Amino acid sequence: MNIPPDMHAHVVALTDAIIDAGQAGDDEAVQVHYAELASYCEATARSGRDHPFLWETLADFTGDDPTAIGFYLRALPLATAANAAGYAASICLALAERYSNLEELDAARDHALQADAYARATDDLPLRRDISQFLLDHAPTTGGG
């Protein structure tokens, strides 16, 4: 799934600004640039150019796990509707990680398994490895006696 070049350039410029402000310790600028990114995502979606890249990126830069989960869940149907298995796998892995942070382990594992299923349709070996590692690290434990 191709990202329109103008969209990609604008999002990268905003995320670079967030990273630069964060590295400089300028929390106010981080918040300003994050708000610009969120506003751009909303405006672009309203204009009929919605894309999973927008919401996955916004979620990636969102510190609050429940809020990020909402953005990932907005990106996922866009990716699946476009048959973009790589996006869907990446989004599902990010969901698994965020749910794991919240100690919602069943949801984390379910999304990791979805990520694995999507990733099987790609040749993205690093992504497939990351998903496999997540599944290994979060394998269900059995109670021993």
Side-chain angles (χ1 to χ4, degrees):
M1 171 172 220
N2 293 330
I3 304 166
D6 64 311
M7 180 187 296
H8 185 266
H10 195 80
V11 169
V12 168
L14 290 170
T15 57
D16 284 349
I18 293 169
I19 292 166
D20 291 346
Q23 289 175 340
D26 188 346
D27 293 339
E28 185 177 327
V30 168
Q31 293 306 313
V32 167
H33 295 304
Y34 176 86
E36 290 173 0
L37 176 60
S39 178
Y40 177 75
C41 292
E42 289 291 348
T44 303
R46 279 194 309 273
S47 75
R49 297 180 66 212
D50 213 354
H51 196 287
F53 169 72
L54 295 170
W55 303 108
E56 183 178 17
T57 303
L58 182 60
D60 289 347
F61 281 84
T62 299
D64 179 69
D65 289 324
T67 302
I69 287 168
F71 293 137
Y72 288 124
L73 290 174
R74 188 165 177 180
L76 186 56
L78 296 171
T80 58
N83 291 320
Y87 270 110
S90 175
I91 292 164
C92 284
L93 177 58
L95 280 163
E97 291 167 343
R98 295 296 184 127
Y99 279 117
S100 178
N101 292 345
L102 296 172
E103 297 186 17
E104 294 182 28
L105 302 184
D106 289 341
R109 183 146 179 85
D110 289 346
H111 282 91
L113 290 169
Q114 286 180 29
D116 188 52
Y118 287 122
R120 291 177 191 273
T122 75
D123 60 359
D124 187 337
L125 296 179
L127 177 61
R128 291 171 70 176
R129 183 184 61 244
D130 291 346
I131 294 165
S132 295
Q133 188 63 56
F134 183 93
L135 286 166
L136 286 171
D137 291 346
H138 296 83
T141 58
T142 55

